[in-house]
Coordinates of all heavy atoms in Angstrom, one line a residue:
M34 N 109.9 109.4 80.5 CA 108.9 110.1 81.4 C 109.0 111.6 81.1 O 110.1 112.1 80.7 CB 109.2 109.8 82.8 CG 109.2 108.3 83.2 SD 107.5 107.6 83.0 CE 106.6 108.5 84.2
A35 N 107.9 112.2 81.4 CA 107.8 113.7 81.2 C 106.9 114.3 82.2 O 106.0 113.7 82.7 CB 107.4 114.0 79.7
W36 N 107.1 115.6 82.3 CA 106.1 116.4 83.1 C 105.6 117.5 82.1 O 106.4 118.1 81.4 CB 106.8 117.1 84.2 CG 107.1 116.2 85.4 CD1 108.3 115.6 85.7 CD2 106.2 115.8 86.5 NE1 108.2 114.9 86.8 CE2 106.9 115.0 87.3 CE3 104.9 116.1 86.8 CZ2 106.3 114.4 88.5 CZ3 104.3 115.6 87.9 CH2 105.0 114.8 88.7
F47 N 105.0 121.8 77.8 CA 106.1 120.9 78.2 C 106.9 121.5 79.3 O 107.1 122.7 79.3 CB 107.0 120.7 77.0 CG 108.3 120.1 77.3 CD1 108.4 118.8 77.7 CD2 109.5 120.8 77.2 CE1 109.6 118.2 78.0 CE2 110.7 120.3 77.6 CZ 110.8 119.0 78.0
V48 N 107.2 120.7 80.3 CA 108.0 121.2 81.4 C 109.4 120.5 81.4 O 110.4 121.2 81.4 CB 107.3 120.9 82.8 CG1 108.2 121.3 83.9 CG2 106.0 121.6 82.8
A49 N 109.4 119.2 81.4 CA 110.7 118.4 81.4 C 110.5 117.0 81.0 O 109.4 116.5 81.1 CB 111.3 118.4 82.8
H50 N 111.5 116.4 80.4 CA 111.4 115.0 80.1 C 112.8 114.3 80.4 O 113.8 114.9 80.5 CB 110.9 114.7 78.7 CG 111.8 115.1 77.6 ND1 113.1 114.8 77.5 CD2 111.5 115.9 76.5 CE1 113.6 115.3 76.4 NE2 112.7 115.9 75.8
D51 N 112.7 113.0 80.7 CA 113.8 112.2 81.0 C 114.0 111.0 80.1 O 113.0 110.3 79.9 CB 113.6 111.6 82.5 CG 114.8 110.8 82.9 OD1 115.8 111.4 83.3 OD2 114.7 109.5 82.9
N52 N 115.1 110.8 79.5 CA 115.4 109.7 78.6 C 116.0 108.6 79.5 O 117.1 108.7 80.1 CB 116.5 110.2 77.6 CG 116.7 109.1 76.5 OD1 117.0 108.0 76.8 ND2 116.6 109.5 75.3
R56 N 119.8 108.5 80.3 CA 119.8 109.2 81.6 C 120.0 110.7 81.4 O 120.7 111.4 82.2 CB 120.8 108.7 82.6 CG 120.5 107.2 83.0 CD 119.2 107.1 83.7 NE 118.9 105.8 84.1 CZ 117.8 105.4 84.7 NH1 116.9 106.4 85.0 NH2 117.5 104.2 85.0
S57 N 119.4 111.3 80.4 CA 119.5 112.7 80.2 C 118.1 113.4 80.4 O 117.1 112.7 80.2 CB 120.0 113.0 78.8 OG 119.1 112.4 77.8
T58 N 118.2 114.6 80.8 CA 116.9 115.3 81.1 C 117.0 116.6 80.4 O 118.0 117.3 80.2 CB 116.8 115.6 82.6 OG1 117.0 114.3 83.3 CG2 115.4 116.2 83.0
R59 N 115.8 117.0 79.9 CA 115.7 118.3 79.1 C 114.6 119.1 79.7 O 113.5 118.5 80.2 CB 115.4 118.0 77.7 CG 115.3 119.2 76.8 CD 115.1 118.8 75.3 NE 115.1 119.9 74.5 CZ 115.0 119.9 73.2 NH1 114.8 118.7 72.6 NH2 114.9 121.0 72.4
Y60 N 114.7 120.4 79.8 CA 113.8 121.3 80.4 C 113.3 122.4 79.4 O 114.0 122.8 78.5 CB 114.4 122.0 81.6 CG 114.9 121.0 82.7 CD1 116.2 120.5 82.7 CD2 114.0 120.6 83.7 CE1 116.6 119.6 83.6 CE2 114.4 119.7 84.6 CZ 115.7 119.2 84.6 OH 116.1 118.3 85.6
A61 N 112.1 122.8 79.7 CA 111.6 124.0 79.0 C 112.4 125.2 79.5 O 112.8 125.3 80.6 CB 110.1 124.2 79.3
D62 N 112.6 126.2 78.6 CA 113.4 127.4 79.0 C 112.8 128.1 80.2 O 113.5 128.7 81.0 CB 113.4 128.3 77.8 CG 114.3 127.8 76.7 OD1 115.1 126.9 76.9 OD2 114.2 128.3 75.5
V64 N 111.5 127.0 82.8 CA 111.8 126.4 84.1 C 113.3 126.0 84.3 O 113.6 125.6 85.4 CB 110.9 125.1 84.3 CG1 109.5 125.4 84.1 CG2 111.4 124.0 83.5
K65 N 114.1 126.2 83.3 CA 115.5 125.8 83.4 C 116.2 126.5 84.5 O 116.0 127.8 84.6 CB 116.1 126.1 82.0 CG 117.4 125.3 81.8 CD 117.9 125.5 80.4 CE 116.9 125.0 79.3 NZ 117.4 125.1 78.0
F68 N 113.7 124.2 88.1 CA 113.1 122.9 88.2 C 114.1 121.8 88.0 O 115.0 121.9 87.1 CB 111.9 122.7 87.3 CG 110.7 123.5 87.6 CD1 110.7 124.6 88.5 CD2 109.5 123.3 86.9 CE1 109.6 125.3 88.7 CE2 108.4 124.0 87.2 CZ 108.4 125.1 88.1
T69 N 114.0 120.7 88.7 CA 114.8 119.5 88.5 C 114.0 118.2 88.4 O 113.2 118.0 89.4 CB 115.9 119.4 89.6 OG1 116.7 120.5 89.6 CG2 116.8 118.2 89.3
M70 N 114.1 117.5 87.4 CA 113.4 116.2 87.2 C 114.4 115.1 87.6 O 115.5 115.1 87.1 CB 112.9 116.0 85.8 CG 112.1 114.8 85.6 SD 111.4 114.7 83.9 CE 110.6 113.1 84.0
L81 N 109.6 116.0 90.4 CA 109.8 117.3 89.9 C 110.0 118.2 91.1 O 109.1 118.6 91.7 CB 108.7 117.8 89.0 CG 108.9 119.1 88.3 CD1 110.0 118.9 87.2 CD2 107.7 119.6 87.6
R103 N 112.3 107.7 72.1 CA 112.9 108.8 72.9 C 111.8 109.8 73.4 O 110.7 109.8 72.8 CB 113.8 109.6 72.0 CG 113.2 110.3 70.8 CD 114.2 111.2 70.0 NE 115.1 110.3 69.3 CZ 114.9 109.8 68.1 NH1 113.7 110.1 67.5 NH2 115.8 109.1 67.5
P104 N 112.0 110.5 74.4 CA 111.0 111.4 74.9 C 111.0 112.6 74.1 O 112.0 113.0 73.4 CB 111.5 111.7 76.3 CG 113.0 111.6 76.3 CD 113.2 110.4 75.3
T105 N 109.9 113.3 74.0 CA 109.7 114.5 73.2 C 109.0 115.5 74.1 O 108.5 115.3 75.2 CB 108.9 114.3 71.9 OG1 107.5 114.1 72.3 CG2 109.4 113.0 71.2
A106 N 108.8 116.7 73.5 CA 108.1 117.8 74.2 C 106.7 117.8 73.7 O 106.0 118.8 74.0 CB 108.8 119.1 73.9
Y111 N 102.9 110.7 74.1 CA 102.8 110.0 75.3 C 101.5 109.2 75.5 O 100.5 109.8 75.3 CB 103.0 111.0 76.5 CG 104.4 111.5 76.6 CD1 104.7 112.6 75.8 CD2 105.4 111.0 77.3 CE1 106.0 113.2 75.8 CE2 106.7 111.5 77.3 CZ 107.0 112.6 76.5 OH 108.3 113.1 76.5

Side-chain angles (χ1 to χ4, degrees):
M34 301 296 296
W36 287 96
F47 165 71
V48 176
H50 64 54
D51 179 80
N52 186 310
R56 293 300 179 182
S57 60
T58 307
R59 185 175 181 180
Y60 299 92
D62 288 343
V64 306
K65 201 173 295 182
F68 290 12
T69 302
M70 181 178 182
L81 185 68
R103 66 177 69 86
T105 75
Y111 293 82

